[in-house]
Amino acid sequence: MLNELTKGIFRENPLLRLLLGTCPSLAVTSSLENGFGMGAATTFVLLCSNAMISLLKGIVPSKVRIPVFIVIIATFVTITDLSMSAYVPDLHKNLGLFIPLIVVNCIILGRAEAFASKNGIVPSLLDGLGMGIGFTMALSLIGSIREILGAGTLMGASLFGPSYQPFLMFVLPAGAFLTLGLTMGVMNWMEKRKA
Amino acid sequence: MPTELIYPIAMLAGFGLALGIGLAIAAKVFAVEVDPRVEAIEKLLPGANCGGCGFPGCSGYAEAMVLAGASPSLCPAIKAPEQKKVGEVLGVVVEERAPMMAVIRCAGKVSPENFKYDYMGEPDCATAVLLAGGPNPCRYGCLGMGSCVKACPFGAMTLRPDLPPIVDPEKCVACGKCVSACPKALITLMPVDRQIIVMCSSLDKGKPVKDLCAVGCIACGLCAKKCPETAITMERNLPVIDYAKCTSCGTCAEVCPQNSILDKNRKTVAAGV
Amino acid sequence: MKSAFEIMKIGAFLMAVCALASFGLALTNRATAPLISEQKRIAREMAMKEVLPGAVEFEDIELSDGRLAFNGKNSSGETIGMATIVSPKGYGGVIETMVGMDVDFKVTGIKILNMQETPGLGAKAGDPAFSGQFKGKTGEQLYLSDKDVKKGEIDAITASTITSKAVTDGVREAVEAMKNAE
Amino acid sequence: MMNDIVVLVIGAIFVNNFVLARFLGICPFVGVSKRVGDAVGMGMAVIFVMILASVASWLTFFYVLTPLKIEYMTTIAFILIIASLVQFVENVIKKMAPALYKSLGIYLPLITTNCAVLGIALLNVQNGYTLTQTVLHAVGASVGFTMALVLLAGIRERLERADIPPSLKGAPITFITSGLLAIAFMGFIGMV
C-alpha cells in the first residue's frame, strides 16, 4: 500500500517521468511560490477527484464516462479557484488562467482513467497524494531554479544582492522549456549513474 | 431555494441532460458494426504489420480475409497453429505453405580495411551507397552497414564484423522487408530447405573479380559444364540454377575454383557463411 | 423501446452528476462571493488612496465619454482631485492603470492595477522609478522624452519602449478625459 | 476592420503562439510530434475542434452564463461542452469517414484533455471578443499550434539521426529543442 504513495514521488514522478501536466509546469513556475501554489492546488483537486471517481467507478455508464469524470474534476477545480481567489488573492492573480486549466491537466484525468477508475478508494487516495506530492516537488524544483537564475531571488528574498544581473531568459517562456529539459536530462543521468 | 442557487443547477443539469442524451443517441446512430470475426482473426495474426501478405497491416489483412475473401495463407509471419485457427474462423481449409527465408547472395569480406575510401557518414547502406556506389571495392558486394537488419521487423538478421549479416531461419518469416531495404538488391527469398545457393551477385568476369574478392564468381562456367543434370546456365557472368532439375548433388560447389557456391551439406563456401 | 429507456438512463445519470456538482459550486460561490468582492473593493480603495494622496472619501462619477471615475475628497470634505482607470494595449496585453489628477490637472500619481508585461522588462513599469515620473506633470509633458518631437518629460524604461509608450499615452488620455469632463 | 483581422490572426499564430509563448497544449505537443505525418493529423484535428469549441463556448457564455449571472460556472460548463463535443465528433467521423478516422481518430480523445482547447475558450471570453473575433482567434491559435507542432516534428525526425548524449535522449532533448524554437518565435514579439 505504501508503494502507491512513494511511487509517485520519484520513480513515477508525473512531470519528470510520465511527462504529464507539462502545461502548467512550464507556465507558472517562474517562481518557487507560484510553483508550490500550483502544485498544492493540483494535489488537492487530484485527491478529491481520485476519491470521488473511485467511488463512482461501478455505476458510470460507459457512453458518458469521460464527461462524468470531467464534470467531477471541474467541480473541485472551480471550488479551488473560488476559495483561492477569496483567501489567497495575490497567488491567485499570479496563477491566473492556469487554475481553471487544472481541469485539463493531463495528470488528473490520466490518473482518473488509469488508476482511480480501477482501484478502491484508499489506493486511489494514496496514489493521488503520491502523484500530487511528486508533482509539487517537481514544480517547486523547477520554480526555484528559474527564480534563482531568472530573478536572482528565492521566495522574493534577493540572494545575490542588487549587483546581480539576472539571467532574464529563465523567466521567459523559452527558459521554462530549457529548464525542464535540462532537469529531466540531469535526472536521467543520475538514474543511469546510480543504476 | 434562492434563485442564485437554482440558476446554476438548472443550467448545468440542463446541459448535462441534453449532452448525455445527445451522446447516447450519437453512440447508437453512429455505431459502426464491426464484424466480430475480423476482431477474432486480428488477435490471431502476429500483429507485426509487416505487409508480407500485401495488405496494409494485420487489421487490413484481417478485414480483407473476412470481407473480401483473401486467402488466409498469405501471412508469412504466422505460426502453423494460429494459421489453422484462422482457417477455422473463416471456415476455410488452409493449405500448408513451404517455409521461406531471406538469403544474402554475397559472401565476400566486408571490412573498412579494404574499403576504397574512408566512409565517415551515417552507418546505413542506403546512405552509403549514394557515395560512388558505397565503400566496398566490389560494386555488387554487400556494404555490411545493416539497412536490412534495421528493416527486419522480426529481428531475424544480425550484423557480423567483416561479413554480410547472418539470417536466422527460425525468426525469418520471409516478409520481404529486407529485400526492398538492400540498396544492392542482394537479398532474395528462398525455401529454407534449399541446399545449393550461388553466394555471389557480381556481373564482372575473371580478373576484376579475382583481385577484389576471394570468393567472388569469376564466371568461368566450370559449374555449368560439370553439372550432371545440366541444371546450371551462365547468364550475365553468373550461374543460374534451375532448381526443378537440380538434385543438390553438390558437384558444382566442388569444382568451383573460387568456392562461390554454397553447399549446405558440406559448407564449401570459403567464408563459412 | 428498451433503447429509448437506456438513452434516458444515461442522460439522467449525467444530469444527476451535473446537478450535484453545480449544487456544490453554488454553495461555495455563496460562501466566497462576498469575500471576493470585498477583496476587490479594498484593492481599489488602496489604489485610489495611493493615486490621490490625502483623499479619504471617494465618490463615483461618470465622465462625459462614459468612463467611470471617482472624485477624491480630503478629510475636510473638499474635492482635491479626480481619478480614473485606463487600459492601454501594451506589449504582452492590456495594462490596466489608475491615474490620479488634482484640480489644476496635474497628475498626482499612477498605479498599474494589472498587466502581463514581460517580467524583468515591461513589468518594471510598476516600479516607482518609472511610475513616479508622472507626478506633477500635465498635458504637454506627458510624452516620452526622446521619442516624441514635443520633448516630453517621461524617460522610457530601457528595452521596453512599447510598454513605456503605452502607459504614457494611457495617462495622457486619462488626463484629457478628466479635463474635458469638468 | 481588415487590419483588425490581420492583427488578431497573425498575432495568434506568431506573437503569442499557443504553444511556444502561452504554454497551452504541451502534452500533445510533446507526445505526438515524433513524425510529421502524425503532427499534421493532430494539427488538423486540433484546428477542427478548436474552432467548433470556441464558437460553442462563446455562445454558451454570452447567451446562457452572463444573462443568468453565473460566470463562475464558466470552466465547468465549457469543459463539459468540449468533452461532449469531442466525443460526438469522434463518433461522427468514425461513422462517416472511417479512413479519416483511422489516421485522425486516435488523436481525438487526446484533444479532450488538451489545455489549448479549453485555454482558447477561456481566453476568448476573458478578452471579451465578439463572435467573429473568436473564430479568427481560434483559427490563428490552432494554425499556430499546428505550425509549431509540425516544425518540432520535422526537427525531431532529424534528431533521431543526430548523436545525443544518452541521458538527454527522448523527452529532454525535445524540451530543449522547443526552448530554442520558443527563442526563435520571440523574434516575432512586438510585431503586432
Side-chain angles (χ1 to χ4, degrees):
Chain A
M1 195 54 85
L2 189 63
N3 133 42
E4 299 296 346
L5 184 66
T6 52
K7 75 176 186 324
I9 295 171
F10 196 76
R11 218 157 13 84
E12 273 182 41
N13 184 299
L15 179 60
L16 300 172
R17 273 287 176 275
L18 309 180
L19 258 166
L20 295 173
T22 35
C23 309
S25 68
L26 292 170
V28 289
T29 49
S30 49
S31 75
L32 174 58
E33 191 203 351
N34 291 356
F36 186 78
M38 189 60 175
T42 313
T43 312
F44 169 71
V45 174
L46 194 53
L47 270 176
C48 306
S49 58
N50 260 8
M52 183 66 94
I53 288 172
S54 61
L55 282 176
L56 290 174
K57 64 178 184 301
I59 49 174
V60 178
S62 69
K63 292 205 176 36
V64 279
R65 195 164 46 82
I66 296 186
V68 166
F69 283 174
I70 287 219
V71 162
I72 295 171
I73 297 171
T75 323
F76 290 117
V77 168
T78 319
I79 293 174
T80 330
D81 191 9
L82 291 177
S83 32
M84 262 179 111
S85 65
Y87 301 109
V88 194
D90 36 17
L91 181 60
H92 182 262
K93 205 145 77 82
N94 293 352
L95 300 186
L97 174 69
F98 281 90
I99 294 186
L101 284 188
I102 297 181
V103 173
V104 280
N105 185 334
C106 318
I107 294 182
I108 300 180
L109 197 60
R111 287 324 290 173
E113 289 269 320
F115 196 88
S117 61
K118 296 187 182 61
N119 300 49
I121 182 159
V122 175
S124 303
L125 273 175
L126 283 176
D127 170 77
L129 191 60
M131 284 293 161
I133 294 174
F135 187 57
T136 314
M137 271 169 52
L139 279 189
S140 314
L141 174 69
I142 295 175
S144 35
I145 296 173
R146 285 184 65 195
E147 188 180 357
I148 292 170
L149 291 179
T153 63
L154 194 59
M155 289 297 280
S158 160
L159 293 174
F160 310 116
S163 63
Y164 172 73
Q165 179 59 17
F167 193 162
L168 258 186
M169 165 59 65
F170 277 91
V171 182
L172 299 176
F177 278 117
L178 295 175
T179 323
L180 189 57
L182 292 173
T183 321
M184 275 189 202
V186 165
M187 242 182 120
N188 291 347
W189 180 70
M190 278 197 312
E191 195 72 26
K192 275 203 176 49
R193 219 160 54 83
K194 189 180 66 185
Chain B
M1 277 276 267
T3 53
E4 39 125 6
L5 274 184
I6 298 172
Y7 282 160
I9 297 174
M11 183 280 290
L12 207 68
F15 267 115
L17 183 67
L19 293 171
I21 293 178
L23 285 178
I25 294 173
K28 188 159 293 309
V29 163
F30 297 110
V32 173
E33 328 76 25
V34 174
D35 186 328
R37 286 185 303 170
V38 172
E39 264 161 40
I41 290 181
E42 205 166 331
K43 281 199 197 63
L44 290 168
L45 294 176
N49 293 335
C50 69
C53 55
F55 292 96
C58 296
S59 47
Y61 182 36
E63 251 162 59
M65 273 196 271
V66 172
L67 308 176
S71 128
S73 62
L74 292 180
C75 177
I78 200 163
K79 295 284 175 289
E82 278 84 15
Q83 190 154 33
K84 211 175 267 73
K85 283 208 207 80
V86 167
E88 280 146 24
V89 171
L90 279 169
V92 159
V93 160
V94 177
E95 83 282 339
E96 243 351 274
R97 209 168 37 75
M100 301 274 276
M101 72 175 275
V103 171
I104 302 176
R105 284 177 295 104
C106 166
K109 191 167 182 327
V110 183
S111 76
E113 289 117 27
N114 57 7
F115 275 176
K116 54 185 180 198
Y117 57 78
D118 238 355
Y119 179 68
M120 315 283 271
E122 174 64 30
D124 179 67
C125 309
T127 329
V129 86
L130 300 176
L131 206 56
N136 191 334
C138 165
R139 226 157 25 94
Y140 309 94
C142 165
L143 299 173
M145 293 188 196
S147 279
C148 50
V149 176
K150 284 193 202 105
C152 178
F154 299 92
M157 293 177 129
T158 40
L159 271 175
R160 289 182 297 172
D162 300 346
L163 278 170
I166 186 164
V167 180
D168 173 358
E170 294 316 316
K171 290 198 189 126
C172 174
V173 296
C175 65
K177 287 257 179 199
C178 53
V179 175
S180 47
C182 175
K184 297 282 183 177
L186 290 175
I187 306 175
T188 41
L189 301 179
M190 295 180 186
V192 177
D193 50 16
R194 175 161 295 172
Q195 295 305 320
I196 307 293
I197 303 169
V198 176
M199 291 305 276
C200 178
S201 314
S202 163
L203 303 181
D204 294 341
K205 189 170 179 6
K207 195 167 178 329
V209 177
K210 210 159 176 38
D211 298 348
L212 300 175
C213 178
V215 283
C217 160
I218 50 172
C220 61
L222 256 175
C223 53
K225 290 196 195 74
K226 286 285 190 280
C227 172
E229 318 295 336
T230 62
I232 302 178
T233 50
M234 292 305 286
E235 277 160 25
R236 295 173 66 208
N237 295 335
L238 267 179
V240 172
I241 301 172
D242 172 357
Y243 286 102
K245 292 189 198 148
C246 168
T247 60
S248 315
C249 62
T251 12
C252 54
E254 242 169 76
V255 299
C256 174
Q258 287 280 91
N259 280 327
S260 310
I261 301 179
L262 166 69
D263 175 352
K264 282 188 183 165
N265 302 344
R266 284 185 289 100
K267 271 245 174 305
T268 48
V269 175
V273 161
Chain C
M1 260 325 281
K2 189 191 145 320
S3 71
F5 171 70
E6 198 50 41
I7 291 175
M8 284 309 292
K9 202 160 80 74
I10 292 172
F13 186 87
L14 189 55
M15 187 179 87
V17 171
C18 292
L20 205 68
S22 43
F23 179 65
L25 283 188
L27 289 185
T28 344
N29 182 44
R30 207 147 62 131
T32 53
L35 279 170
I36 296 174
S37 49
E38 182 58 23
Q39 230 108 39
K40 280 214 172 60
R41 205 182 54 71
I42 296 170
R44 217 152 62 94
E45 192 89 12
M46 254 223 302
M48 285 195 275
K49 282 204 172 68
E50 208 183 309
V51 156
L52 277 173
V56 164
E57 205 213 319
F58 298 93
E59 179 210 351
D60 289 0
I61 53 166
E62 222 183 281
L63 297 181
S64 50
D65 56 9
R67 197 191 295 269
L68 173 69
F70 336 89
N71 259 337
K73 291 191 171 53
N74 61 12
S75 38
S76 54
E78 47 155 329
T79 318
I80 59 158
M82 227 176 3
T84 184
I85 298 178
V86 281
S87 322
K89 181 149 181 357
Y91 181 84
V94 165
I95 308 173
E96 208 184 342
T97 324
M98 180 180 280
V99 180
M101 183 187 77
D102 59 18
V103 275
D104 37 32
F105 313 123
K106 278 206 171 39
V107 174
T108 53
I110 73 162
K111 180 166 181 17
I112 296 189
L113 301 176
N114 61 47
M115 61 174 170
Q116 293 115 8
E117 295 308 280
T118 358
L121 290 169
K124 287 209 196 95
D127 309 348
F130 176 73
S131 56
Q133 294 178 75
F134 292 92
K135 281 200 179 63
K137 295 204 170 59
T138 180
E140 286 318 306
Q141 296 152 321
L142 291 173
Y143 279 97
L144 287 182
S145 50
D146 51 1
K147 269 295 219 203
D148 294 296
V149 76
K150 296 191 204 55
K151 278 283 154 275
E153 287 177 26
I154 309 289
D155 307 334
I157 308 168
T158 44
S160 44
T161 327
I162 299 169
T163 317
S164 324
K165 187 165 188 330
V167 174
T168 316
D169 296 349
V171 171
R172 192 174 60 250
E173 182 200 325
V175 169
E176 294 309 325
M178 286 193 270
K179 201 183 284 180
N180 43 36
E182 276 305 297
Chain D
M1 182 46 198
M2 186 49 203
N3 157 7
D4 176 26
I5 295 175
V6 167
V7 161
L8 198 57
V9 175
I10 301 296
I13 295 180
F14 292 107
V15 181
N16 24 44
N17 180 295
F18 247 55
V19 181
L20 298 171
R22 283 196 201 279
F23 292 112
L24 294 167
I26 306 277
C27 303
F29 183 66
V30 173
V32 181
S33 56
K34 291 222 172 28
R35 279 190 309 282
V36 177
D38 294 351
V40 172
M42 180 73 181
M44 291 310 131
V46 164
I47 292 178
F48 182 66
V49 172
M50 249 194 193
I51 296 172
L52 232 56
S54 301
V55 171
S57 51
W58 189 87
L59 293 173
T60 329
F61 187 78
F62 280 99
Y63 292 112
V64 175
L65 296 182
T66 331
L68 297 176
K69 284 270 167 300
I70 39 172
E71 281 81 358
Y72 65 91
M73 298 287 282
T74 318
T75 318
I76 193 162
F78 278 8
I79 195 62
L80 178 64
I81 293 168
I82 290 175
S84 318
L85 183 74
V86 170
Q87 195 162 338
F88 184 76
V89 163
E90 190 182 349
N91 285 340
V92 168
I93 293 188
K94 197 188 277 186
K95 179 72 176 175
M96 295 301 171
L100 181 64
Y101 180 71
K102 275 247 173 332
S103 62
L104 205 64
I106 25 171
Y107 308 129
L108 281 170
L110 252 177
I111 295 179
T112 359
T113 66
N114 181 340
C115 330
V117 181
L118 180 62
I120 188 164
L122 291 170
L123 279 175
N124 288 338
V125 161
Q126 263 170 16
N127 299 351
Y129 285 146
T130 64
L131 188 56
T132 43
Q133 283 173 329
T134 305
V135 173
L136 288 172
H137 187 218
V139 168
S142 45
V143 165
F145 176 85
T146 313
M147 205 177 67
L149 194 63
V150 172
L151 267 174
L152 185 72
I155 299 172
R156 277 187 73 177
E157 271 180 6
R158 268 163 204 73
L159 278 184
E160 299 303 320
R161 294 196 174 282
D163 54 356
I164 305 161
S167 61
L168 279 183
K169 273 209 165 28
I173 194 67
T174 318
F175 277 109
I176 294 171
T177 327
S178 329
L180 301 177
L181 212 57
I183 294 175
F185 266 66
M186 270 165 72
F188 294 119
I189 290 188
M191 188 175 76
V192 152

